[in-house]
Amino acid sequence: MNRELWTEVDAYLSDALIPADPVLDAALADSTAAGLPAIAVAPNQGKLLHLLAVTAGARSILEIGTLGGYSTIWLARALPAGGKLVTCEYEPKHAKVARANLDRAGFGEDVVDIRVGPALETLPGLTGPFDFVFIDADKVNLPGYLAAALELSRPGTTIVVDNVVRHGAVVDEASSDPSVQGVRRMLEAMTGDDRIDATAVQTVGDKGYDGFVLARVR
């Protein structure tokens, strides 16, 4: 088993279950053309986020980490009429690309509000509660993002945190990688907080070996 095979299987499953989508393809293409890092979720992961948000009946969604807006579009498509999504992005350049991608997808500022700046500074200015939260930003600050998400949640809110396995490095308590330590501190915070019920799932695919946390606020 290797990444080449994982990527081939991802492509097969996506081709079988996810129709071609010019809007999403254009979002990825424009992100690449603008020089954004190629770290957006894979199509099958985007569809999973969409289905989770639909299943949760989310009318209000919070995303921490916008990048070029690819996952944002998947999530915004889960909103019912009148729904709202707020997404936090550190880099102004990324936010500009995302804004153009979202506008082309039909999600203007009345539906998707991009907050630009360090998320730990912009999150306290938001008004919750949110029904669904997706955290896909720098891992060093994951404990702070989780704390903010919980403050902006309600009983029943779904929280998804991406990239928590770190190619298996998450098991190394002595790791010198700040991202690994950020994930570990977040998981420890979840373990010690009776407001949240969570699990984690390892994944392999086009993005390599990683995993995500799926949690529900009690």
Side-chain angles (χ1 to χ4, degrees), residues 205-217:
D206 180 48
K207 300 299 180 180
Y209 170 41
D210 213 321
F212 63 91
V213 164
L214 175 61
R216 183 176 186 273
V217 178

Side-chain angles (χ1 to χ4, degrees), residues 70-103:
Y70 181 77
S71 58
T72 320
I73 294 171
W74 275 111
L75 288 169
R77 287 177 171 179
L79 291 169
K84 184 79 174 183
L85 188 154
V86 178
T87 181
C88 302
E89 174 52 49
Y90 177 78
E91 292 286 350
K93 177 183 177 180
H94 297 181
K96 182 177 180 180
V97 173
R99 182 74 272 163
N101 285 332
L102 287 160
D103 288 344

Side-chain angles (χ1 to χ4, degrees), residues 5-85:
L5 178 58
W6 300 340
T7 300
E8 184 179 351
V9 172
D10 257 7
Y12 167 72
L13 294 175
S14 294
D15 288 346
L17 299 173
I18 304 173
D21 193 312
V23 170
L24 287 168
D25 291 344
L28 289 177
D30 284 1
S31 295
T32 299
L36 273 60
I39 55 174
V41 300
N44 53 358
Q45 295 169 333
K47 185 63 176 291
L48 175 62
L49 288 171
H50 172 85
L51 291 173
L52 288 171
V54 170
T55 302
R59 296 187 58 84
S60 56
I61 296 175
L62 171 63
E63 179 183 52
I64 303 175
T66 317
L67 195 62
Y70 181 77
S71 58
T72 320
I73 294 171
W74 275 111
L75 288 169
R77 287 177 171 179
L79 291 169
K84 184 79 174 183
L85 188 154

Side-chain angles (χ1 to χ4, degrees), residues 145-162:
Y145 298 151
L146 174 65
L150 286 171
E151 290 299 317
L152 291 166
S153 296
R154 57 163 178 79
T157 292
T158 298
I159 299 176
V160 177
V161 187
D162 203 9

